[in-house]
Amino acid sequence: MSRWMRSILLLFASSFPAGVLWAQGSSPIDTIALPFRAVTINDGLSQGMVQCIAQDPQGFLWFGTKDGLNRYDGYRFTVYRHDPTDTNSVRESNVTSLTVDRHGRLWVGTSTGVDLFDRATEHFQHLAIAHPDGDWGSVAHVRLDINGDLWAATQERLVKVTFATPVEEGHPLPRFTLRWLHQGFSTVTSTRDGALWGASGRFAFHIIPRHDGTDRIDTLATSEPGHPILDISGLTVVEDSLRGKVYGITYNAILEFSADRKSWTALYTLEERAPLLQSHGAVVGPEGQLWVPTFIGLFRFQPATRHMELVRSTDPSLEHML
């Protein structure tokens, strides 16, 4: 089974509330029924609200829930929860973000901070990030850049963690310095060229990270002629490396960025500014289609034809889940 299909397989079986309808006045959306297999708490999933998914090089799927980090091998779950008597356990059971870096290491964002999972010992190393003013929010995104530095975004802050030496799994985390950036920086995602992308309020940014701290941060245009209601808030990006495309998912639109990443075209826009399309886990399918999980359902978007579909299950028993 392909990586992108595995990622889609069970998030939608457990994450979305039932009975939510698409908002009135939106752009036309067709409905399509597809077969799904549900994997739920009855199969060992620790909690029914899956907030994030990652897959490591060994093929394990990792699911962050409000009550534990779950590792799934296709047959059974191993659950990691916070244990106040064990300093090597995950810092918090409410897991809000997961990312696997280019070295195959799993970084875990929680409601209180960031951990690095040690595969050999199955211990969690806690990254001691502290904002001078106190609480800096629940981690929404974690990314390790091409220089080996870590970026973490919450609804309140964006922080860059610059390590003095490379991170080595199985060794203590190296010394690091913190750089706090824009307030209200709710997202940070990345593309294969090493760029980072983020959003803060009604603004979005393209970031070229540099280890020496001279990061280049460019503000992206927030409007396009003919799309006065487009809201670029909550921008996340997804890359189709096979076709050389970079797409942006915002609160109410799907964008395609130009080759130089300096401009974009709106492929699809809703008629409302409500955060109906916001997604932290969009993926590209083998034929170039976008699969966009949101809190109101799963959508499939065809960039070539700009056709949007709301996905339902062919199994009536799963209709309340999808």
Side-chain angles (χ1 to χ4, degrees):
M1 184 182 296
S2 67
R3 178 181 299 252
W4 72 272
M5 181 56 79
R6 287 184 179 181
S7 297
I8 287 171
L9 177 63
L10 71 79
L11 173 63
F12 314 112
S14 54
S15 297
F16 304 119
V20 181
L21 299 178
W22 187 255
Q24 297 296 317
S26 300
S27 302
I29 298 176
D30 291 332
T31 300
I32 183 172
L34 298 174
F36 285 86
R37 178 172 67 88
V39 181
T40 70
I41 57 175
N42 295 325
D43 301 289
L45 185 68
S46 65
Q47 200 266 345
M49 179 61 77
V50 176
Q51 303 184 109
C52 47
I53 297 178
Q55 187 174 30
D56 66 25
Q58 288 72 44
F60 291 111
L61 285 171
W62 295 83
F63 302 94
T65 76
K66 289 190 173 182
D67 184 29
L69 174 64
N70 295 248
R71 185 178 67 193
Y72 185 58
D73 63 6
Y75 301 96
R76 61 186 63 84
F77 286 95
T78 301
V79 179
Y80 303 87
R81 291 187 175 93
H82 173 67
D83 180 351
T85 66
D86 183 1
T87 58
N88 294 314
S89 67
V90 64
R91 69 166 61 232
E92 169 61 50
S93 293
N94 185 6
V95 178
T96 54
S97 177
L98 295 169
T99 191
V100 175
D101 66 26
R102 63 183 59 207
H103 302 289
R105 300 172 301 208
L106 180 70
W107 296 86
V108 182
T110 73
S111 58
T112 59
V114 178
D115 285 356
L116 173 62
F117 180 70
D118 187 306
R119 290 170 289 186
T121 63
E122 298 199 342
H123 292 168
F124 293 83
Q125 293 181 275
H126 312 309
L127 196 56
I129 302 174
H131 190 273
D133 296 335
D135 182 25
W136 58 290
S138 179
V139 178
H141 284 103
V142 178
R143 289 292 185 274
L144 205 72
D145 68 25
I146 59 174
N147 307 309
D149 299 320
L150 183 138
W151 301 67
T154 74
Q155 294 294 330
E156 304 295 333
R157 312 280 180 178
L158 173 67
V159 62
K160 177 187 179 184
V161 182
T162 302
F163 295 105
T165 57
V167 174
E168 296 184 57
E169 195 169 358
H171 297 269
L173 290 170
R175 294 182 296 105
F176 59 84
T177 57
L178 301 178
R179 179 188 179 194
W180 296 94
L181 290 94
H182 299 267
Q183 293 188 8
F185 221 107
S186 58
T187 68
V188 60
T189 48
S190 58
T191 42
R192 292 163 61 93
D193 60 3
L196 299 171
W197 306 71
S200 175
R202 294 294 306 280
F203 297 95
F205 302 89
H206 179 256
I207 304 170
I208 303 299
R210 294 166 179 157
H211 186 65
D212 63 5
T214 61
D215 309 294
R216 176 177 171 178
I217 303 178
D218 296 322
T219 303
L220 298 174
T222 56
S223 63
E224 180 187 51
H227 293 87
I229 64 170
L230 190 149
D231 190 340
I232 206 167
S233 302
L235 173 72
T236 58
V237 299
V238 58
E239 186 171 14
D240 184 347
S241 57
L242 183 63
R243 297 165 184 83
K245 303 284 188 179
V246 173
Y247 301 105
I249 315 295
T250 78
Y251 274 2
N252 69 344
I254 296 179
L255 318 175
E256 180 179 337
F257 285 93
S258 60
D260 62 8
R261 311 298 187 243
K262 294 182 179 179
S263 61
W264 47 262
T265 301
L267 300 181
Y268 187 87
T269 309
L270 297 178
E271 296 178 6
E272 303 180 25
R273 283 199 171 98
L276 300 178
L277 281 180
Q278 184 183 22
S279 175
H280 289 180
V283 294
V284 178
E287 297 178 357
Q289 68 272 47
L290 302 185
W291 296 82
V292 185
T294 76
F295 281 104
I296 61 172
L298 169 64
F299 297 93
R300 185 174 72 175
F301 180 70
Q302 307 286 355
T305 60
R306 305 190 180 190
H307 184 61
M308 179 72 82
E309 297 166 314
L310 174 63
V311 178
R312 295 298 189 194
S313 175
T314 55
D315 184 347
S317 68
L318 300 183
E319 185 62 26
H320 71 287
M321 296 182 180
L322 197 62

